[in-house]
Amino acid sequence: MVNVVPAASDWPGDAHVTGYWSLEGVGDWQPPRKLLSFLERDAPPVCIAFGSTVTADRERLSLAALEALRLTGHRGVVVGEVPQAQHLPADVFQVDYAPYEWLFPRMVAVIHHGGAGTTGKALGAGVPSVVVPFPSDQPFWGRRVHELGAGPRPIPASRISASKLSEAIISATQDSDVRRRVESISKAMDREDGVKEAVRLIGRHLDQLGGR
């Protein structure tokens, strides 16, 4: 997090950026056998993960993403609901759930909504992002990904099209500078320990209170 959004110069002295807080491992979750077979069969696919964002345009967005995969020749993994999932092409796999920390490192790029957590997982995986932001903080994270050089300019959900998305996928997967930059960010994030830093800061604050 320190390398993704550093503390601003006008923040007060008691405002800190610790780094991401992450749990180790994926618990008892096991990847479906069909998913493993799909991933092992060919080149790494593009992941489509719009998270829990609910929108009346979800079907339009999903269809645009699927068409963009066809136009760019990439295989795909869709996490969550997708229209007519039973009729997906053979080079697209749908899974209801998969931990992003397991799935994203196996992708060549991730198309996502720009939620803070999803953005962090994609950056941590060292995988370029194509951000399609909805409301709230998502436009900020889409801009931040692009500013960091970790993906193309975000495409607002209201302006999505298969052609725009296919151009973004090509940029994310073929630009060596994007790949180099996001891998550098991932390595920097690996060196952070957000939980340890937070504990240290809380301890220091309590020590200061005790000395009053």
Side-chain angles (χ1 to χ4, degrees):
M1 189 70 159
V2 176
N3 297 283
V4 176
V5 184
S9 59
D10 59 348
W11 285 5
D14 58 354
H16 304 279
V17 179
T18 63
Y20 283 97
W21 297 10
S22 300
L23 295 173
E24 294 292 334
V26 295
D28 296 332
W29 182 84
Q30 294 292 326
R33 185 179 305 171
K34 290 184 178 180
L35 173 59
L36 286 175
S37 297
F38 178 83
L39 294 176
E40 293 167 356
R41 192 162 62 231
D42 210 330
V46 172
C47 183
I48 302 171
F50 288 130
S52 58
T53 300
V54 178
T55 170
D57 285 342
R58 190 179 187 94
E59 180 172 352
R60 181 176 66 88
L61 294 167
S62 297
L63 291 176
L66 292 173
E67 176 62 10
L69 291 180
R70 188 190 69 79
L71 291 172
T72 58
H74 281 283
R75 302 193 307 149
V77 171
V78 182
V79 181
E81 297 178 8
V82 60
Q84 299 182 339
Q86 68 275 22
H87 299 303
L88 287 175
D91 59 355
V92 177
F93 188 94
Q94 186 271 339
V95 61
D96 291 335
Y97 168 78
Y100 289 163
E101 55 265 50
W102 182 91
L103 185 65
F104 286 179
R106 293 167 168 81
M107 302 292 112
V108 68
V110 182
I111 302 170
H112 61 88
H113 57 297
T118 305
T119 301
K121 294 297 184 186
L123 292 172
V127 178
S129 288
V130 176
V131 181
V132 182
F134 295 83
S136 189
D137 63 331
Q138 296 170 13
F140 166 81
W141 290 111
R143 291 192 302 271
R144 191 64 187 139
V145 164
H146 180 60
E147 290 166 356
L148 290 167
R153 292 185 181 277
I155 306 171
S158 60
R159 302 177 190 172
I160 195 72
S161 70
S163 60
K164 289 180 180 178
L165 200 51
S166 62
E167 290 175 4
I169 291 172
I170 291 171
S171 174
T173 57
Q174 296 186 11
D175 189 329
S176 59
D177 288 338
V178 170
R179 174 65 64 177
R180 176 186 56 78
R181 183 58 185 148
V182 74
E183 288 177 352
S184 175
I185 293 169
S186 175
K187 290 176 182 177
M189 290 173 63
D190 282 343
R191 294 192 292 268
E192 296 179 350
D193 190 334
V195 173
K196 184 177 180 179
E197 177 64 7
V199 170
R200 185 189 70 80
L201 290 167
I202 292 170
R204 188 179 73 179
H205 180 66
L206 293 175
D207 288 343
Q208 291 171 346
L209 288 176
R212 291 180 181 178

